[in-house]
Amino acid sequence: MESDRYADLTSGVQIHVGLLGRMSISRAGRPLTLPASRKLRALIAYLALAPHALTRERLCELLWDIPNDPRGELRWCLSKARCLLDEPARSRVRTDKDTVRLDLTDCYVDVTDINRWMQQGLPTLGTERLRALSGIFGGDFLEGLQIERSPDFQSWLNAQRRRLRACHAAILEHLVARLATGSQESFSCLDKWLQLVPFDLRVHELVLQALTHRGRLREGEEHLAATVRAFELEGLDSVPLRKAWRDAKTRAAGHSGPEHTLLCAAGATLPASESDASSSGARRASIVIMPFLDRSAPSGARGGIADALAFDIITRLAKLRSLFVIAQGTAFALDQRNIGPEEAARTLNVDYLVSGSLRRQAKRLIVNVELVESRTARIVWADFFDYSLDDTFLALNEMGDRIVASIDTEVEMAERNRAILKPPSSLDAWGAHHRGLWHMYRFNRGDNELAMQFFKTALRLDPTFSRAYAGLSFTHWQNAFQGWGEEHQREIDLAFETAGQSVFVDDRDPAAHWAMGRALWLRGERDQSLTELQRTIDLSPNFALGHYTLGFVNCQSGDAKAAIDSSDHSRRLSPFDPLLFGMLAVRAIALVRLGRFDEAADWSLMAVARPHAHAHILAIAAQCLALAGRVEEARNLVSTLHKLQPSYSIDGFVAAFRLSADTEALFRKAAERIGIA
């Protein structure tokens, strides 16, 4: 049974730390009396959730704003914390030189428990587990605790409260989805959800559905009217609410008996102008980038570097054209109304949220960024960036590059993983496209064929989907490059034709020009290929695959040093890219052309070690090893290569690439030495 599988995690745990509601600590089930010091409670909470040890200097900066001895105050708090948490045979307050941490691995901390289940993924949890998680929320995070003269801690506290409210809302949303529509428990969960995020469109839609399901149309009208007024007072769009009410009544009329149908017909009608604002084209994942918090600025101050960084990320993401990006004005307006990032994401009904903070420390700028899936409150990606402030504009530019490329990669991966779990018959164009990407990036003939079919499905559902054409072009490119297709020239022609359709549909999509650049290379039109690939970079400097493919073309017969620069830049932008093996192999080929064989061998081995490295990558590595004099290692790789593809030959390798004459001669000599006939 699920209740047995998810036994109470607090049973048998000696120390229980409660951070939801008013802070509490209990030992063996008996609550301990906490000292009155607010800063002691703040210190324990902060250390309990810190991912690593913190310096005493950082803790003093965080909590103490006094002219005398903050380290003395810290020592007093740590001694009191030891009284609460340590045992004779178990030290939990750990100090090492100038750092402090809490080791609570054998304790139960309610927020840590919440975090663990959230990262596992709410869709995977059963009803009983969702009920149990909802029950943990006995109040706000550190309820009643305020430390006004510690702005950095207060910012952290507010962020934690917003995040945990979003977690609770996400848990309630998934729990409501498991409960019977209109049940008493369902209404109770909806009420809690409304209190947490009163401007979340989804909860209002479900309330209206539940009321119509129970035939409580008058209450539905009253709820709609009150909600519309509240939305309009905040300057928010109320049209989706009216549409939700219209749809709820239509569904109720269509699925109920005559009496219920008459009740629905008696409800107030909406003006004709409140029409459905449906949009054409494939759905794209949506994202909002909220203003970053400047922890070094005076409390309440806005503008400056923090806002500039958020605006830069919005602009660069929009240029990628793979996501629906909420405009800066909307995101910043919600922030100015004191609507936190998590609630803003639910208000806007977007799929993903990016938020962050920055602070200046000496001559360095430290930025923390989080990408969150808004409907599950799951942290998809988080990172921090530490740059010198000697050149602020250069630091912001490099940070913007890395953040945007990471967001693009992580969202695409999350969407691919989501699509692969859905039945193929239930996929829309967006889902079919990402299911195609999942297969495409496995780099084998069978998956390439499946990818082709999913891209065709996406285009059947939406003939104006530029990225699906680009994906389809890549599958034909793979057939030609890998020698998988029965008609080589036909595959080249199809790669070019579908790339042209991608450009025609959206001339500003960097992926479209990327597909065209690859197709032109296949046709032997190197100069035109480089021009098209440069267009990709001009459209979006953060498009990692554009930089990689520029390197791919140049490493074979162009500027070898430029190829290395392109390879390095693509890896900086997308360090976990599905095509990372290709980025590494590009560098290896370029190093061969520069006569740096030992380096080429090392880089080629890194390429082989990446997931889904195909036969050509193994061949490149084997030949680089041979050129470096590492013949035995090379022959071992050739043995692996021939097991993977028994008929692999040097003629096939040379036919796949567009190598300069001297580079071809080098690879043929290496192949002969290690038995690639």
Side-chain angles (χ1 to χ4, degrees):
M1 289 178 64
E2 191 171 357
S3 58
D4 296 331
R5 182 183 172 194
Y6 297 118
D8 183 6
L9 292 175
T10 65
S11 61
V13 176
Q14 187 73 3
I15 300 288
H16 183 294
V17 180
L19 303 178
L20 292 165
R22 293 191 174 274
M23 185 175 180
S24 64
I25 300 177
S26 61
R27 186 192 302 275
R30 295 191 302 276
L32 303 181
T33 301
L34 302 184
S37 170
R38 291 174 297 157
K39 292 191 177 180
L40 169 63
R41 300 170 192 229
L43 178 68
I44 291 174
Y46 195 83
L47 287 171
L49 300 184
H52 51 73
L54 297 164
T55 65
R56 291 175 183 265
E57 180 183 8
R58 170 64 185 144
L59 294 171
C60 289
E61 288 175 353
L62 180 75
L63 287 168
W64 282 277
D65 181 23
I66 58 177
N68 44 19
D69 182 18
R71 284 183 173 251
E73 295 283 339
L74 175 59
R75 283 194 296 271
W76 181 87
C77 283
L78 290 175
S79 69
K80 293 299 181 183
R82 287 190 176 95
C83 294
L84 292 168
L85 298 171
D86 284 359
E87 294 175 283
R90 179 73 170 90
S91 173
R92 296 187 176 91
V93 180
R94 303 288 183 89
T95 56
D96 181 17
K97 296 180 181 177
D98 200 44
T99 64
V100 182
R101 70 183 178 94
L102 286 188
D103 179 5
L104 300 179
T105 51
D106 61 342
C107 303
Y108 177 84
V109 182
D110 53 6
V111 173
T112 302
D113 191 25
I114 293 288
N115 292 342
R116 181 168 62 87
W117 288 107
M118 298 301 292
Q119 284 306 110
Q120 177 172 318
L122 295 178
T124 67
L125 305 184
T127 305
E128 289 306 314
R129 173 49 44 186
L130 291 170
R131 283 193 181 106
L133 288 175
S134 179
I136 293 174
F137 289 87
D140 220 350
F141 178 70
L142 296 181
E143 193 170 287
L145 182 66
Q146 298 289 126
I147 304 182
E148 293 79 5
R149 298 187 66 185
S150 302
D152 203 358
F153 175 80
Q154 198 62 42
S155 295
W156 174 83
L157 179 62
N158 292 338
Q160 289 293 326
R161 285 173 176 168
R162 289 195 306 263
R163 184 184 68 82
L164 286 161
R165 287 185 202 123
C167 289
H168 194 187
I171 290 165
L172 290 167
E173 179 171 1
H174 283 76
L175 180 54
V176 167
R178 312 289 177 86
L179 301 173
T181 302
S183 66
Q184 190 57 48
E185 185 181 3
S186 173
F187 273 114
S188 175
C189 290
L190 289 170
D191 285 343
K192 292 177 186 175
W193 183 359
L194 273 172
Q195 291 171 26
L196 290 166
V197 277
F199 296 108
D200 186 343
L201 280 169
R202 181 60 181 152
V203 66
H204 291 289
E205 289 174 1
L206 291 173
V207 168
L208 294 172
Q209 287 177 21
L211 290 171
T212 56
H213 183 83
R214 295 290 293 269
R216 293 156 60 176
L217 297 187
R218 182 179 297 280
E219 289 179 57
E221 293 285 357
E222 291 170 352
H223 180 86
L224 175 67
T227 306
V228 165
R229 282 196 301 274
F231 269 59
E232 290 177 349
L233 283 171
E234 290 292 332
L236 302 173
D237 185 9
S238 63
V239 170
L241 290 166
R242 300 174 188 275
K243 179 184 178 299
W245 180 233
R246 216 170 38 241
D247 291 346
K249 290 195 296 182
T250 301
R251 276 193 296 271
H255 293 88
S256 303
E259 182 180 355
H260 198 95
T261 302
L262 288 172
L263 282 170
C264 289
T269 58
L270 295 168
S273 61
E274 305 284 3
S275 59
D276 180 9
S278 62
S279 58
S280 60
R283 179 190 75 84
R284 287 182 288 170
S286 51
I287 190 166
V288 60
I289 293 83
M290 295 299 289
F292 282 31
L293 175 66
D294 189 344
R295 297 190 185 279
S296 301
S299 181
R302 295 313 310 261
I305 293 177
D307 282 1
L309 180 58
F311 177 70
D312 188 40
I313 293 169
I314 291 170
T315 303
R316 293 179 189 223
L317 271 180
K319 285 183 178 180
L320 284 171
R321 299 179 78 79
S322 57
L323 297 168
F324 180 85
V325 185
I326 297 296
Q328 178 205 10
T330 297
F332 281 44
L334 288 174
D335 179 71
Q336 288 166 5
R337 294 189 181 102
N338 292 319
I339 294 177
E342 295 81 1
E343 187 176 352
R346 285 179 164 271
T347 299
L348 295 167
N349 201 26
V350 295
D351 300 304
Y352 297 94
L353 156 73
V354 174
S355 62
S357 64
L358 61 83
R359 61 187 174 92
R360 299 167 190 83
Q361 186 171 311
K363 290 186 177 181
R364 305 200 67 77
L365 180 65
I366 301 168
V367 176
N368 292 278
V369 189
E370 273 190 355
L371 170 67
V372 175
E373 201 173 49
S374 61
R375 286 289 163 192
T376 63
R378 182 176 70 91
I379 297 174
V380 176
W381 166 79
D383 207 343
F384 76 94
F385 304 88
D386 186 343
Y387 279 86
S388 169
L389 275 174
D390 291 340
D391 188 334
T392 303
F393 291 108
L394 178 62
L396 288 173
N397 186 57
E398 290 186 6
M399 260 190 289
D401 276 346
R402 292 177 61 188
I403 291 169
V404 168
S406 296
I407 291 168
D408 183 48
T409 301
E410 295 293 340
V411 169
E412 186 173 278
M413 186 184 301
E415 293 294 305
R416 287 202 309 266
N417 292 341
R418 180 181 295 165
I420 201 67
L421 296 174
K422 291 183 178 179
S425 60
S426 71
L427 294 170
D428 58 10
W430 175 260
H433 168 244
H434 279 85
R435 185 73 167 263
L437 289 178
W438 189 89
H439 287 288
M440 185 182 86
Y441 286 138
R442 295 180 71 78
F443 298 100
N444 62 70
R445 187 170 186 169
D447 275 296
N448 198 60
E449 180 60 35
L450 287 171
M452 187 181 294
Q453 298 310 314
F454 278 113
F455 290 136
K456 287 179 178 177
T457 297
L459 291 168
R460 177 174 51 79
L461 293 169
D462 180 9
T464 66
F465 195 174
S466 172
R467 291 258 163 154
Y469 282 117
L472 186 57
S473 174
F474 189 82
T475 60
H476 290 300
W477 188 94
Q478 281 280 82
N479 279 340
F481 179 65
Q482 301 277 9
W484 291 335
E486 302 301 327
E487 300 179 50
H488 182 74
Q489 187 57 48
R490 176 63 176 157
E491 294 295 342
I492 293 175
D493 292 342
L494 286 171
F496 180 72
E497 179 185 319
T498 48
Q501 290 170 305
S502 182
V503 173
F504 177 77
V505 168
D506 189 351
D507 184 49
R508 291 192 294 160
D509 187 344
H513 293 277
W514 171 70
M516 179 56 76
R518 296 183 75 99
L520 287 166
W521 175 85
L522 267 182
R523 288 159 60 97
E525 300 173 25
R526 178 182 171 278
D527 290 343
Q528 295 92 321
S529 170
L530 289 172
T531 299
E532 199 68 25
L533 291 169
Q534 187 58 51
R535 170 72 170 149
T536 298
I537 303 307
D538 292 341
L539 283 168
S540 177
N542 304 100
F543 191 63
L545 292 181
H547 291 280
Y548 153 62
T549 310
L550 271 174
F552 174 82
V553 174
N554 270 321
C555 79
Q556 298 168 61
S557 59
D559 186 336
K561 290 182 178 178
I564 290 174
D565 289 342
S566 294
S567 167
D568 290 347
H569 192 59
S570 66
R571 287 182 292 106
R572 281 195 297 271
L573 287 172
S574 187
F576 303 105
D577 201 277
L579 276 161
L580 185 56
F581 61 78
M583 298 170 181
L584 296 165
V586 160
R587 204 180 203 284
I589 294 173
L591 288 167
V592 166
R593 292 186 57 216
L594 295 172
R596 294 155 60 179
F597 300 146
D598 289 337
E599 292 177 68
D602 290 339
W603 284 95
S604 68
L605 284 176
M606 285 190 273
V608 167
R610 300 306 304 167
H612 307 306
H614 50 68
H616 287 325
I617 304 299
L618 269 68
I620 291 168
Q623 291 167 99
C624 287
L625 286 165
L627 289 168
R630 297 160 64 175
V631 176
E632 193 60 37
E633 289 179 75
R635 286 175 176 157
N636 288 335
L637 265 184
V638 171
S639 175
T640 303
L641 172 61
H642 283 151
K643 287 177 183 177
L644 180 68
Q645 198 168 316
S647 61
Y648 196 90
S649 68
I650 185 59
D651 288 337
F653 175 83
V654 169
F657 291 88
R658 302 278 188 270
L659 300 169
S660 62
D662 56 345
T663 309
E664 179 183 336
L666 279 172
F667 277 110
R668 282 190 179 277
K669 181 180 178 181
E672 182 181 355
R673 188 177 181 188
I674 57 178
I676 301 179

